[in-house]
Amino acid sequence: MKRKARKLPMFFLTLAFTMIFFTGTAMQVTNASATEVKDASREEVLSLKDVYKDYFLIGNTVSPGDLTDSAKYDFMKFHYNALTPENATKPDSIWPNATGNPSFTAADKMLTQVKADGFYTIGHALAWHNQSAGWPPSGLNYTEARASLQKYISTVAGHYSQGPYKLNTWDVVNEAMRDNPENPTDWRKALRSDINPIERPSRWFDAYANGGNGWEYIYDSFLFAREADPDAILYYNDFNDEEIPNKAIAIASMVKELNKKYANEHPEANGRKLIEGIGIQGHYNLRLNVNNLEEVLKIYSETGLEISVTELDVQFNGTSSEVQPTKEQYKEQAVLYAKLFMLYKKYSDNIERVTFWGVADNNSWRSTGYPLPFDSKRAPKEAYWAIINPEAYLGLEELPPKLTSFKFGADVFNVEDKKEFDVNVPTGVSSIDFSAANVAHKYDDKVDVSVKLNPASGAVSAGKPAVATVEIARKENPNISTKYTINFGHMTGEWEKDQNYSDTGFRSSVNIRFSDGKSKLKLFQAFYNKDDGKQAMLNSKEFKPLPKHTGGRLTIQTDKSIDPDDLKNLTLKKSLWDQNWMPIIPARVKDFNTPENFWRLAKTIESGKTYIVVSSNSSLALTNRNVPSIPATGGVTNAKRGIAGTPVTIEDGIIKEPKQIQDNMRFIFKESASPDPGPFTKAKGYTGYTMLSLVHGGLVAPTILWRDLSNDDTAPLRTDTTIGDRALDRAVWFNTGIDPKTGETTLFSHTGSSHYTYALHGNESGFVGQGGTGPLGNYTDNSRVKLYEYVSNYLYEDSKSLGIKISLAPVERIVKERDAKIPVTAEVPDGSKAVLVKDGVSVATAKFAKGKATISVKGSDVDAGSNYAVVINDGTKILGAVILPVVTVDKATPLATVEKLNGKQNRLKVSVKELHSDGSTENFSEEILIKNNATDVYQVGPYKVYVETKGNDKIRNCYIVKE
């Protein structure tokens, strides 16, 4: 694996560069320092690979024809040190027909040359749903598909594992994930299959699913590639992972699980991972949110894998071969490229390579979007100058000040390049005190540091962290600052969705935050019969403490999957406890006959949230698929091109059918400003949204829903191309407010300058825009829609017990420093043990006989500052547990009465009533026969009570004797 040289301080590294004039092919070589880069004449073009030689490789694509174009190839050798065959190593190019033989000649000749010229080379791609018409052959079952996959990968990857054309890296699996999975940690359900997405499903998945598990082709692909080429770095490569984190979370979950599986099955690998890299394709447009991309880089960095940007380009929105970008747009593109490369430099310890997808605009598959740093003549565009020195281009020659560390309690946190931290707060602390005095920097008194706490009191409670926003800026330039977010919280967890898998069994997972660094966490799945409520199965796992102040994902599974019919007769309660048998979070209870996750009628719209849009007229869900014509029926005035609809069945505000929602039925609503809103402004109560569907058909670039130009009452709708910013009035959708009873609203776009208003209108054939130049009210009544949001409906309960039903009555608590006998009743086999544990350590045990056991505990073992539980096991596994509270005695009140009997005898009744710290009470009493006028000390339960009587019905004194 290539090792990068460490970076020198910014603006002081030495760069080797060459001066090149693009009026010809002659080149002159010279040198310059980084400080000269920002002042360089725009006739001086620096080598991109040299500018970034201390950060990462700079790559591009290569095709056989490039080697015969000497000027182009010289240009490539000058700027790049890594090359990816654009098409030559894809299945359709190298082995289009599985019944024939592979043809390596063209790729071999090309790769032999580029390897001889010193390029790092990447094979692209082995397992893919696209450009792979012959693989897998149709009609295969699982066994045949696995053999076919092994044949293809071992042949192709094996061929390029040696010789003058040996490849350094392979994109083994390409684009296997759906674009916006609802439950991203469930990566199996996030994969492309025959159901999702309807465009370009994975045929490898479907072939494996014919008699096996569809998802297993992912692991097999990497396994076969490792066997065929032990030296190659193996990558998973994908796109559209930057808008929302779901896809990135699914990818990260997948690679971590498969690498763990490989480590368990192949100890001879000595820790080398099976999947060693994640590729972010980087097919962007100018609406990219760079902050979202940083979240993706964080997610991937946490996997410990190297990252590469594998197919970078940034296209304009709304351009074409006839409509070229303006000067202002070129600058906008440059600014985005500058932000990207600043971000890549920030994460360069994790990033191995940045590859552009195309040498120049005319070489790009997105050529009408002018997406690359060089124009069709290979002359540098504004974006190039931004890339070679992004800080200077963005006006950041003076870098913002940074913190070096901060303190909390006895811990010191080194900040380095991190901007967000999770800090554990001890459970006994209910509020934190954090101010500028807690942070350290190296700027003496030349900076201002501000700290804002939310809530301002610093209050911390279970599941509700306090958040400190720290900002540091130079006093003479307060606009250039660095912000940090510090989350202070008690250790907690968040449950993930359960899944029943045929390969790993029924699985439950929980995400931990704010680890205290010492708790060994115990995770349980308890299954109960629905008819009698008795435990059917309990499985558990204890985990080593997570590092302090960190988070992690804990997972357990049954030994095998559970039959779906059996699940219908079970409920599940999953619990998380620490080593002291105290629950961390409430237990989640699941009824398998009730859906946990579903699409429900929404009563609000939130920016960044995903919705399904359903026409009230037709009960069709808006679906990102172009329809040539929506006929003039059902309220549509003129037949126009439109967007498809999918029938849905709705009961009680919940979508019941289809069971599996297609990706292209889901739209992300993102708050956006219209350039020409007319009266529909924020000030007047209107919020605009773009509607983005991430699933791609013919385009990788996510496109938003917009209405085309129209001169009548019906406007065509489109998602198949991008729309320019100046025309966003036709892509920003307002709403009339959601009716609180029906959930109905009207989504409409408006162009203020032309007075055109078009409502999103659905009939039985699909969706168009219906409207005109009249008042909004003319179009709202017949163009009503409902929005549906994805929700989770879980039942929670505070955990005081788990597993089998355990009764401790009548002793349901123990008292500080008091001996006790604890009766335990449970339906367990004879010989099972009931163990009293104190802070996780056994202090007393008893064996069961006929469902009963009695634990004797000494008062010296009963401490109010400790946690107690009764745990039952059969010698090999835990059967159940119940918390046993410890109380202190707040008050003990004695009472005595005397009753005259025959002769000189009286009956004395002495009692003591205890009031406990939890508000409970307990009574002790004794009856004693006495003579008249008795005085004595009597033992009443654990108390000695002095009682003095006078006469046959008088109590002169009654009090507890202090020992």
Side-chain angles (χ1 to χ4, degrees):
M1 190 178 299
K2 183 180 73 66
R3 299 294 180 192
K4 298 190 287 287
R6 296 301 90 198
K7 303 183 292 293
L8 297 176
M10 197 166 302
F11 300 126
F12 295 98
L13 66 153
T14 300
L15 298 174
F17 75 99
T18 299
M19 183 184 298
I20 178 171
F21 299 92
F22 284 92
T23 54
T25 59
M27 299 182 186
Q28 294 178 319
V29 179
T30 185
N31 294 315
S33 69
T35 52
E36 293 175 84
V37 169
K38 62 181 179 181
D39 299 320
S41 164
R42 294 214 172 180
E43 291 182 345
E44 299 171 349
V45 177
L46 311 179
S47 165
L48 290 174
K49 69 182 180 184
D50 289 339
V51 170
Y52 285 96
K53 68 186 177 79
D54 291 317
Y55 292 92
F56 32 70
L57 296 170
I58 296 291
N60 213 302
T61 60
V62 64
S63 298
D66 295 335
L67 306 187
T68 62
D69 185 337
S70 59
K72 183 179 181 182
Y73 191 50
D74 285 343
F75 179 94
M76 295 166 66
K77 287 189 287 186
F78 174 64
H79 279 294
Y80 309 109
N81 47 21
L83 290 178
T84 304
E86 185 170 15
N87 291 296
T89 52
K90 291 175 180 175
D92 277 357
S93 297
I94 219 161
W95 201 349
N97 189 343
T99 61
N101 296 315
S103 177
F104 297 113
T105 304
D108 286 358
K109 183 178 179 180
M110 177 185 71
L111 289 170
T112 298
Q113 180 64 56
V114 299
K115 290 292 291 185
D117 290 328
F119 284 99
Y120 184 92
T121 54
I122 303 95
H124 177 77
L126 292 172
W128 192 21
H129 60 268
N130 196 28
Q131 291 183 255
S132 183
W135 299 90
S138 61
L140 301 185
N141 60 28
Y142 166 78
T143 303
E144 296 164 337
R146 192 172 191 273
S148 181
L149 182 64
Q150 184 171 27
K151 176 183 177 181
Y152 182 85
I153 291 179
S154 61
T155 302
V156 176
H159 178 81
Y160 288 109
S161 67
Q162 56 190 343
Y165 34 67
K166 177 179 172 62
L167 293 168
N168 299 95
T169 299
W170 266 108
D171 290 336
V172 177
V173 179
N174 194 44
E175 301 175 5
M177 288 287 173
R178 294 162 48 207
D179 286 329
N180 186 7
E182 299 95 332
N183 299 294
T185 54
D186 179 14
W187 64 266
R188 290 165 175 79
K189 294 287 181 65
L191 292 172
R192 292 172 177 270
S193 66
D194 63 337
I195 299 298
N196 272 312
I198 196 168
E199 292 95 350
R200 301 181 182 179
S202 170
R203 288 170 36 244
W204 282 117
F205 184 105
D206 296 342
Y208 262 62
N210 184 15
N213 298 317
W215 56 81
E216 290 181 4
Y217 91 91
I218 304 284
Y219 182 76
D220 282 350
S221 295
F222 283 96
L223 185 64
F224 299 154
R226 171 65 71 238
E227 292 170 348
D229 190 348
D231 297 331
I233 308 300
L234 305 184
Y235 263 72
Y236 176 81
N237 193 50
D238 218 318
F239 65 95
N240 278 1
D241 51 3
E242 68 284 336
E243 288 291 337
I244 54 177
N246 286 19
K247 191 169 189 177
I249 292 170
I251 291 169
S253 299
M254 178 185 73
V255 298
K256 286 190 286 189
E257 183 178 325
L258 296 187
N259 278 337
K260 182 178 180 180
K261 177 180 179 180
Y262 181 73
N264 292 336
E265 294 180 355
H266 295 272
E268 74 279 3
N270 294 320
R272 184 183 179 187
K273 294 180 172 65
L274 176 64
I275 306 173
E276 295 176 292
I278 299 175
I280 301 172
Q281 288 188 13
H283 291 298
Y284 301 138
N285 61 47
L286 292 188
R287 297 192 181 105
L288 172 70
N289 186 324
V290 178
N291 292 332
N292 291 351
L293 178 59
E294 182 165 13
E295 288 301 310
V296 171
L297 288 171
K298 289 179 184 178
I299 292 167
Y300 290 160
S301 297
E302 290 170 358
T303 66
L305 276 60
E306 66 179 55
I307 303 167
S308 287
V309 181
T310 58
E311 305 178 26
L312 181 62
D313 50 28
V314 179
Q315 75 168 19
F316 295 101
N317 298 304
T319 58
S320 65
S321 56
E322 293 80 24
V323 181
Q324 297 188 8
T326 64
K327 183 177 181 180
E328 290 73 21
Q329 285 178 307
Y330 278 122
K331 288 183 178 179
E332 186 182 357
Q333 183 188 51
V335 167
L336 184 51
Y337 264 119
K339 290 179 179 179
L340 285 172
F341 273 82
M342 275 192 66
L343 185 63
Y344 297 156
K345 290 166 79 172
K346 177 179 177 180
Y347 287 88
S348 60
D349 284 346
N350 304 98
I351 294 177
E352 186 71 12
R353 168 174 52 95
V354 176
T355 288
F356 293 91
W357 206 249
V359 172
D361 281 343
N362 61 320
N363 304 130
S364 171
W365 68 297
R366 307 168 86 192
S367 59
T368 57
Y370 306 90
L372 296 166
F374 299 100
D375 67 19
S376 297
K377 296 180 180 178
R378 295 192 289 276
K381 293 160 54 178
E382 192 74 15
Y384 166 82
W385 303 108
I387 290 168
I388 62 170
N389 198 333
E391 295 82 12
Y393 194 86
L394 295 173
L396 299 175
E397 293 93 339
E398 180 184 51
L399 296 179
K402 296 181 180 180
L403 300 183
T404 56
S405 63
F406 66 90
K407 294 188 299 183
F408 180 74
D411 294 325
V412 177
F413 299 80
N414 294 318
V415 172
E416 297 177 342
D417 286 331
K418 288 188 66 176
K419 295 294 190 297
E420 185 169 359
F421 301 84
D422 276 358
V423 178
N424 173 266
V425 177
T427 53
V429 177
S430 59
S431 65
I432 61 109
D433 183 14
F434 190 84
S435 67
N438 294 75
V439 304
H441 55 79
K442 58 183 180 181
Y443 304 98
D444 299 325
D445 60 349
K446 299 178 181 179
V447 299
D448 286 323
V449 178
S450 66
V451 176
K452 292 183 180 179
L453 275 177
N454 184 21
S457 63
V460 178
S461 59
K464 294 182 179 180
V467 181
T469 302
V470 184
E471 186 171 6
I472 179 171
R474 288 184 175 84
K475 291 180 178 179
E476 68 272 14
N477 199 346
N479 294 324
I480 300 179
S481 64
T482 306
K483 288 186 179 181
Y484 302 84
T485 302
I486 307 173
N487 307 294
F488 298 91
H490 297 153
M491 184 165 64
T492 187
E494 180 180 345
W495 292 112
E496 293 179 0
K497 184 179 178 182
D498 313 306
Q499 294 294 336
N500 189 30
Y501 297 117
S502 55
D503 58 340
T504 57
F506 195 95
R507 175 182 297 189
S508 291
S509 298
V510 61
N511 288 313
I512 303 298
R513 285 189 71 188
F514 307 111
S515 169
D516 62 9
K518 61 184 180 182
S519 292
K520 297 177 182 178
L521 300 180
K522 305 170 186 282
L523 184 56
F524 294 88
Q525 290 182 133
F527 297 87
Y528 298 91
N529 291 314
K530 289 182 72 91
D531 53 355
D532 57 13
K534 292 183 178 179
Q535 179 180 301
M537 179 176 19
L538 175 72
N539 61 309
S540 64
K541 184 176 181 180
E542 182 172 289
F543 298 85
K544 294 180 180 179
L546 294 167
K548 193 175 183 181
H549 308 301
T550 63
R553 183 180 181 219
L554 310 180
T555 301
I556 58 173
Q557 59 262 340
T558 58
D559 292 335
K560 58 183 179 179
S561 61
I562 304 175
D563 188 276
D565 289 334
D566 293 336
L567 280 177
K568 294 177 182 178
N569 299 316
L570 297 173
T571 59
L572 167 67
K573 181 171 79 173
K574 55 183 180 180
S575 309
L576 182 68
W577 304 65
D578 66 16
Q579 74 273 21
N580 296 330
W581 292 94
M582 291 298 292
I584 303 297
I585 53 175
R588 181 182 285 179
V589 180
K590 177 174 181 175
D591 182 344
F592 292 102
N593 293 295
T594 303
E596 284 184 300
N597 303 279
F598 47 85
W599 293 91
R600 181 184 65 190
L601 182 65
K603 295 299 180 69
T604 59
I605 301 177
E606 297 177 32
S607 182
K609 200 167 182 178
T610 301
Y611 297 93
I612 295 174
V613 182
V614 178
S615 169
S616 298
N617 302 328
S618 63
S619 294
L620 292 183
L622 182 69
T623 304
N624 182 19
R625 190 172 65 248
N626 293 294
V627 177
S629 178
I630 302 295
T633 59
V636 176
T637 306
N638 299 284
K640 289 288 174 69
R641 179 184 58 228
I643 303 299
T646 299
V648 293
T649 301
I650 299 168
E651 296 177 10
D652 298 325
I654 295 174
I655 295 179
K656 297 292 186 179
E657 296 289 343
K659 295 292 185 186
Q660 294 206 43
I661 300 297
Q662 282 285 339
D663 284 357
N664 58 358
M665 289 170 60
R666 299 181 290 122
F667 289 81
I668 303 169
F669 279 56
K670 183 178 180 181
E671 185 173 341
S672 301
S674 168
D676 190 10
F680 302 107
T681 62
K682 194 106 176 180
K684 293 186 177 181
Y686 289 92
T687 301
Y689 300 91
T690 54
M691 296 168 58
L692 172 68
S693 176
L694 289 183
V695 68
H696 79 292
L699 289 173
V700 169
T703 53
I704 56 180
L705 176 73
W706 54 281
R707 61 172 174 84
D708 213 338
L709 295 173
S710 184
N711 57 5
D712 54 36
D713 293 337
T714 302
L717 295 179
R718 304 190 67 166
T719 59
D720 55 345
T721 61
T722 62
I723 186 170
D725 290 347
R726 287 172 293 182
L728 273 181
D729 54 278
R730 294 185 279 123
V732 172
W733 297 85
F734 302 99
N735 67 88
T736 56
I738 296 180
D739 187 300
K741 293 183 179 179
T742 66
E744 289 186 328
T745 188
T746 299
L747 296 175
F748 65 94
S749 66
H750 180 80
T751 302
S753 56
S754 64
H755 306 293
Y756 275 117
T757 303
Y758 285 94
L760 181 65
H761 183 91
N763 66 10
E764 65 278 5
S765 300
F767 289 79
V768 291
Q770 190 67 21
T773 57
L776 173 63
N778 292 358
Y779 318 118
T780 55
D781 292 344
N782 294 323
S783 301
R784 303 291 275 172
V785 297
K786 295 181 180 181
L787 306 184
Y788 291 81
E789 60 186 341
Y790 190 72
V791 297
S792 299
N793 185 23
Y794 301 117
L795 296 177
Y796 294 94
E797 66 178 40
D798 290 331
S799 284
K800 294 184 179 179
S801 66
L802 64 86
I804 56 171
K805 183 178 180 181
I806 301 172
S807 173
L808 303 178
V811 182
E812 296 182 343
R813 63 186 60 80
I814 50 178
V815 181
K816 177 186 177 183
E817 299 179 350
R818 180 180 295 167
D819 293 350
K821 292 186 180 297
I822 306 167
V824 186
T825 303
E827 293 186 17
V828 295
D830 286 355
S832 299
K833 289 185 178 180
V835 182
L836 179 67
V837 292
K838 172 185 179 181
D839 291 336
V841 178
S842 172
V843 294
T845 62
K847 285 188 177 181
F848 275 92
K850 297 181 179 180
K852 296 184 180 297
T854 302
I855 303 175
S856 297
V857 58
K858 296 179 180 179
S860 58
D861 283 326
V862 183
D863 177 8
S866 299
N867 300 308
Y868 292 82
V870 174
V871 181
I872 298 177
N873 66 73
D874 64 359
T876 60
K877 60 184 178 181
I878 294 170
L879 302 177
V882 61
I883 292 175
L884 183 62
V886 174
V887 297
T888 57
V889 178
D890 285 350
K891 186 178 181 181
T893 304
L895 177 68
T897 60
V898 63
E899 176 187 356
K900 180 176 176 58
L901 301 177
N902 294 327
K904 295 183 178 181
Q905 284 212 327
N906 292 338
R907 179 184 292 118
L908 177 66
K909 294 181 179 180
V910 185
S911 64
V912 177
K913 182 178 181 179
E914 283 183 344
L915 175 63
H916 297 153
S917 54
D918 65 350
S920 63
T921 60
E922 187 170 356
N923 295 309
F924 303 95
S925 63
E926 292 289 341
E927 289 188 0
I928 310 104
L929 293 176
I930 62 172
K931 293 182 179 180
N932 291 337
N933 301 324
T935 299
D936 207 345
V937 175
Y938 305 98
Q939 188 73 41
V940 181
Y943 296 96
K944 294 183 185 301
V945 182
Y946 175 85
V947 180
E948 180 183 356
T949 67
K950 182 180 180 180
N952 57 19
D953 59 356
K954 302 291 185 182
I955 303 295
R956 175 173 289 181
N957 280 307
C958 177
Y959 58 84
I960 295 173
V961 177
K962 304 296 183 182
E963 296 280 350

